[in-house]
Amino acid sequence: MTGEQKSLIVATMTEYINTVNSLVSDAANGISISKYTTADVKANLPSALTNQCIRDAKSIVKKYNKACRDADRKNDKLAKQGKNITVTATLPVLKKTCCYVNNQNFKINGDYIEFPVMVNGKSKRLSVKTKMSDRQKSVFANSKLGTMRIVYKGNKIVAQVVYETIEPTYTTEGNVMGVDLGVKCPAVSYISDGSVKFYGNGRKNKYMRRHYRCLRKKLQKAKHIDAVKRINDKEQRIMKDIDHKLSHDVVETAVAHNVKTIKLERLANIRSTTRTSRKNNHSLHNWSFYRLAQFIEYKAK
């Protein structure tokens, strides 16, 4: 990507966000945008992106109107209870610089992505060279593509492309493994052949978390902000490494027992259903159940 191309893309993303926010603000002030077309919107954007702005704004307004109705119902309920409290819905404002391009208006050709931008007041297709792996090229070449989102990741501009994929089929042959996640014991596997195995040391993990938490408190009192960040990063690296090792052991056990399917417990509300205490309360709310589940999933695949 050249410097000129980057400037054009950044200008497009900025104009896109400003246009969406402007449309949402108009709708919140009583102007109907339900029948808006590109002719009704003044934006320095190609018509394809202006159309996408209108669709995004309508979606945001729909959610905002629902939030307003919910707030009104809550206020009526509070008034009946004699409580002098008012609940209000907040108008959403997009802050992250980005833009969306639907699948009819961009094209992936080898290492290049083509999509429209405005150049000197006229719509022009920009062909940007990207960094794509061979697997990504294969996926994009053989899949039905959806919307593309262009966004900043750090100091890089990244294109995120939605695509359709066929769900893998799973055989019913072989054993089935169930995996439960927890704090005292990070993971327990139950296999249909009757074997049970415990993984990791929850007490050791909690001790490390308490240790680093105490270090951060001392450094915060001394106002050593950089040291606090270093300690926090070190703790995260250690815990991530532990999750890698645990997930590896789980999958190795599955292979050794001819397991064909691994079933993970649902993680929704896991923190509210896990027994809490003064000692493990902090650990519980900083425990990455989801990350360990993700590691098990991708290693199994």
Side-chain angles (χ1 to χ4, degrees):
M1 180 190 301
T2 66
E4 182 182 0
Q5 287 178 329
K6 184 174 182 178
S7 297
L8 288 170
I9 295 171
V10 171
T12 300
M13 292 193 293
T14 303
E15 182 71 6
Y16 187 97
I17 291 300
N18 290 340
T19 302
V20 174
N21 284 333
S22 176
L23 289 169
V24 172
S25 178
D26 287 346
N29 289 322
I31 300 173
S32 175
I33 64 171
S34 60
K35 296 183 180 180
Y36 264 24
T37 65
T38 54
D40 302 308
V41 181
K42 293 182 179 180
N44 188 30
L45 290 169
S47 59
L49 296 189
T50 305
N51 260 324
Q52 191 65 40
C53 285
I54 296 170
R55 284 193 287 269
D56 289 351
K58 287 179 180 177
S59 177
I60 293 171
V61 170
K62 184 178 179 181
K63 292 177 182 177
Y64 173 65
N65 289 338
K66 183 180 182 301
C68 288
R69 291 192 296 271
D70 292 342
D72 289 340
R73 283 194 291 269
K74 287 179 182 178
N75 287 330
D76 290 341
K77 187 175 180 180
L78 290 169
K80 289 178 181 178
Q81 294 173 351
K83 296 180 180 179
N84 188 22
I85 303 172
T86 303
V87 178
T88 58
T90 304
L91 182 67
V93 177
L94 303 183
K95 296 180 180 180
K96 191 170 185 177
T97 305
C98 68
C99 71
Y100 291 81
V101 187
N102 66 38
N103 58 357
Q104 297 175 339
N105 296 293
F106 74 89
K107 183 180 179 181
I108 299 177
N109 187 12
D111 291 322
Y112 291 84
I113 298 179
E114 298 177 9
F115 55 93
V117 296
M118 295 298 284
V119 180
N120 298 324
K122 293 183 179 180
S123 179
K124 180 181 178 182
R125 290 189 74 83
L126 197 67
S127 182
V128 181
K129 188 172 184 180
T130 63
K131 294 181 180 178
M132 279 191 279
S133 66
D134 291 337
R135 180 183 175 278
Q136 288 173 324
K137 292 177 188 176
S138 175
V139 167
F140 294 146
N142 299 291
S143 303
K144 182 179 178 181
L145 303 182
T147 303
M148 176 174 70
R149 179 178 185 242
I150 303 174
V151 67
Y152 265 119
K153 287 288 185 181
N155 61 349
K156 295 180 181 179
I157 295 177
V158 178
Q160 301 170 330
V161 182
V162 176
Y163 63 91
E164 288 187 2
T165 183
I166 299 173
E167 286 289 332
T169 56
Y170 299 102
T171 177
T172 56
E173 298 176 358
N175 291 319
V176 176
M177 171 189 280
V179 180
D180 285 340
L181 307 179
V183 173
K184 189 173 182 180
C185 181
V188 183
S189 67
Y190 308 83
I191 302 176
S192 54
D193 63 7
S195 60
V196 178
K197 187 173 180 179
F198 296 83
Y199 305 85
N201 187 331
R203 288 183 177 179
K204 182 179 177 181
N205 293 349
K206 286 194 291 182
Y207 166 77
M208 283 194 294
R209 287 192 178 278
R210 289 198 301 271
H211 171 69
Y212 284 112
R213 185 186 179 198
C214 290
L215 283 179
R216 282 195 298 271
K217 279 188 174 181
K218 291 178 181 178
L219 293 169
Q220 283 169 348
K221 286 182 180 179
K223 297 185 179 181
H224 296 315
I225 306 302
D226 291 340
V228 172
K229 187 178 184 303
R230 285 198 302 272
I231 289 294
N232 186 63
D233 290 344
K234 182 177 180 180
E235 179 189 358
Q236 293 304 316
R237 288 195 302 271
I238 291 172
M239 300 312 295
K240 188 175 181 180
D241 181 63
I242 289 172
D243 283 347
H244 269 299
K245 291 174 180 176
L246 288 176
S247 57
H248 177 268
D249 289 346
V250 169
V251 175
E252 284 288 296
T253 302
V255 172
H257 288 263
N258 191 32
V259 169
K260 297 300 182 182
T261 304
I262 298 177
K263 295 185 177 182
L264 295 169
E265 66 174 313
R266 293 185 181 276
L267 297 179
N269 303 318
I270 188 171
R271 286 176 172 80
S272 61
T273 56
T274 302
R275 187 176 64 86
T276 59
S277 67
R278 182 181 60 81
K279 286 186 176 181
N280 76 1
N281 193 47
H282 174 75
S283 295
L284 177 63
H285 290 282
N286 287 277
W287 214 271
S288 182
F289 299 104
Y290 180 75
R291 182 176 64 198
L292 179 55
Q294 290 292 98
F295 284 177
I296 293 172
E297 182 178 350
Y298 92 76
K299 284 181 170 64
K301 288 179 177 177

